Amino acid sequence: MTDKLEAKANAGKQAASLMAQEPIRKAFKDLEAEYIRMMVQTDVDNVRQRDVFHTALKVLGDVGRHLSMMIGNGKIAQAALDKLVRQQAKR
């Protein structure tokens, strides 16, 4: 059980470290703006291309949400590990 908690805690810390880096935050922001710009600039009849940019926007959001979930799950796992350590110290 502690191995799984440690793995989740470490993954959360890595995700947090990644998302704290300015180039990563800028990449998400820039890609979102670029996809929106490109979607708006498509010809009115080019539904397929707009669908491609819409899908890209959804995937970009999914990746951001997944990383946020990893961070949150990592914090929960770390709290559980800390609790186990405190319980073992009391013995």
Side-chain angles (χ1 to χ4, degrees):
M1 179 172 151
T2 59
D3 290 343
K4 288 183 181 181
L5 288 174
E6 287 174 356
K8 282 188 178 184
N10 287 333
K13 288 174 187 174
Q14 290 174 353
S17 175
L18 182 68
M19 293 306 289
Q21 295 178 28
E22 180 59 29
I24 296 297
R25 289 196 312 270
K26 185 174 181 341
F28 272 89
K29 183 180 176 183
D30 290 352
L31 279 171
E32 180 180 24
E34 183 69 8
Y35 293 155
I36 291 170
R37 183 188 67 75
M38 292 169 77
M39 187 168 45
V40 169
Q41 289 180 350
T42 57
D43 291 332
V44 70
D45 296 330
N46 199 345
V47 175
R48 186 169 186 264
Q49 191 63 45
R50 279 194 303 278
D51 284 346
V52 168
F53 293 126
H54 180 260
T55 300
L57 278 168
K58 287 179 65 174
V59 170
L60 187 64
D62 289 346
V63 171
R65 282 186 295 280
H66 186 74
L67 287 167
S68 293
M69 286 175 37
M70 288 177 67
I71 293 167
N73 289 339
K75 288 178 181 179
I76 292 168
Q78 186 61 55
L81 285 169
D82 293 345
K83 184 178 178 180
L84 286 173
V85 168
R86 285 192 306 273
Q87 288 174 344
Q88 289 176 353
K90 288 181 181 180
R91 293 180 185 177

